[in-house]
Every structure is written in structure tokens, then in C-alpha cells.
């Protein structure tokens, strides 16, 4: 399989996290009753899907590296899912547990996008600046949403 550059490999990780985020938001949606939070989670899931599509479009132009990149994404998705299953695997988990997991996951997603942004200052790969402009505000918003959601549930739980 073709060797990926540091930046390409990082793009694969961002893609894998976006795939995992779609599953995580679905899982947490089942744990909460609050309709407004459910709606927020659905929106986050949709935006994760859009992020994945953007990455697909960008990386499909990387001749000969598509397979290696998809493999990197799969590996990262698997790791994220393992974490989710560890954190939310029990049958006594509630909505707040779900949001606590998302706090970590969304911070991880945002951090990876910022790493891509930083690497691309040197690499200047075509299309990456546009990708970052699209994805970074979404991830910043997701971090804010999950924090607000977690605190709302925490206030209700005591
Ligand atoms: Fe996200």
C-alpha cells in the first residue's frame, strides 16, 4: 500500500473521527429524552456526515493513495468506537454519560482539524485550507453544543 505523508495520514484520522461521530451521536441520542438535545445530536450527526463527504471529495483526487487513506480512516474509526464501547458499554449509562463521552470525542475532532491546519501551513496541499475553513467552525460549534448539553443534563441530575 502507498505510504501516506504526515498530513495525508492526519486527514485519514479526521475522516475516521467523522465516521465515528455519526455513530456516537446516534448512540447518545438514544440515551437522552430531551427533545432539544436530540435535535442538536441529529444536527451534529448530519454535519459529521458532511465532513466525511468533504474529506472523500478531497482525498479521492490523491492518485494511488485512496486505499491507504481509507485504511487509516477505518483504523481511527475502530479506535474511537472501542473508546465509545468502553465508556458507554454498560447498561446503566445515561444521557449525561453520553455527553461526557462526546465532550472528549468532539475535543479530539477539533484538535485533529487544528493539527491538519498547522501542518498545512508548511505543506500547502491543495484543497486543505478550504476543508479547514469548512470543518473547523463546525467542530468548534460541536464542542460548545456538547459542553452546554452536558451542563444542562448535570443541572437536571442533581
Ligand atoms: Fe463533531
Amino acid at each position: 500500500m502507498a505510504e501516506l505523508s504526515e498530513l495525508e495520514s492526519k486527514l485519514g484520522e479526521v475522516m475516521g473521527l467523522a465516521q465515528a461521530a455519526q455513530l456516537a451521536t446516534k448512540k447518545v441520542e438514544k440515551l437522552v429524552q430531551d427533545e432539544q438535545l436530540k435535535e442538536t445530536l441529529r444536527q451534529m450527526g448530519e454535519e459529521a456526515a458532511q465532513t466525511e463527504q468533504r474529506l472523500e471529495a478531497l482525498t479521492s483526487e490523491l492518485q494511488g493513495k485512496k486505499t491507504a487513506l481509507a485504511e487509516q480512516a477505518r483504523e481511527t474509526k475502530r479506535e474511537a468506537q472501542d473508546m465509545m464501547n468502553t465508556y458507554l458499554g454498560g447498561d446503566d449509562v445515561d444521557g449525561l454519560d453520553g455527553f461526557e463521552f462526546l465532550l472528549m470525542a468532539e475535543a479530539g475532532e477539533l484538535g485533529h482539524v487544528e493539527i491538519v491546519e498547522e501542518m498545512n501551513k508548511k505543506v500547502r496541499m491543495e484543497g486543505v485550507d478550504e476543508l479547514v475553513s469548512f470543518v473547523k467552525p463546525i467542530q468548534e460549534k460541536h464542542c460548545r453544543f456538547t459542553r452546554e448539553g452536558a451542563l444542562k443534563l448535570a443541572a437536571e441530575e442533581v
Side-chain angles (χ1 to χ4, degrees), residues 43-107:
Q43 190 193 331
M44 286 169 55
E46 266 169 42
E47 287 168 344
Q50 289 166 14
T51 299
E52 185 190 0
Q53 284 156 15
R54 286 279 182 137
L55 278 146
E56 277 278 2
L58 177 73
T59 57
S60 65
E61 288 158 29
L62 293 175
Q63 302 301 332
K65 291 191 170 179
K66 224 189 148 203
T67 311
L69 223 131
E71 178 52 39
Q72 175 64 68
R74 250 193 310 279
E75 188 188 319
T76 300
K77 179 188 177 188
R78 200 163 43 233
E79 287 169 2
Q81 275 184 288
D82 286 348
M83 272 193 268
M84 180 169 85
N85 292 337
T86 301
Y87 207 88
L88 300 177
D91 35 0
D92 57 344
V93 291
D94 63 11
L96 183 54
D97 295 320
F99 267 83
E100 286 166 358
F101 173 74
L102 288 179
L103 282 174
M104 297 186 283
E106 294 297 340

Side-chain angles (χ1 to χ4, degrees), residues 21 44 106 109 139 142:
M44 286 169 55
E106 294 297 340
E109 282 192 87
Q139 291 310 332
H142 288 183

Side-chain angles (χ1 to χ4, degrees), residues 10-26 44-56 73-74 76-77 80 105-106 108-110 112-113 131 134-135 138-139 142:
K10 224 32 90 174
L11 288 168
E13 290 178 22
V14 172
M15 177 140 64
L17 291 176
Q19 291 165 350
Q22 294 169 61
L23 302 172
T25 47
K26 270 206 188 74
M44 286 169 55
E46 266 169 42
E47 287 168 344
Q50 289 166 14
T51 299
E52 185 190 0
Q53 284 156 15
R54 286 279 182 137
L55 278 146
E56 277 278 2
R74 250 193 310 279
T76 300
K77 179 188 177 188
E106 294 297 340
E109 282 192 87
L110 176 58
H112 277 74
V113 174
L131 179 89
F134 178 79
V135 176
I138 288 177
Q139 291 310 332
H142 288 183

Side-chain angles (χ1 to χ4, degrees), residues 105-120:
E106 294 297 340
E109 282 192 87
L110 176 58
H112 277 74
V113 174
E114 289 174 330
I115 288 166
V116 163
E117 183 180 31
E118 192 61 32
M119 285 180 168
N120 199 47

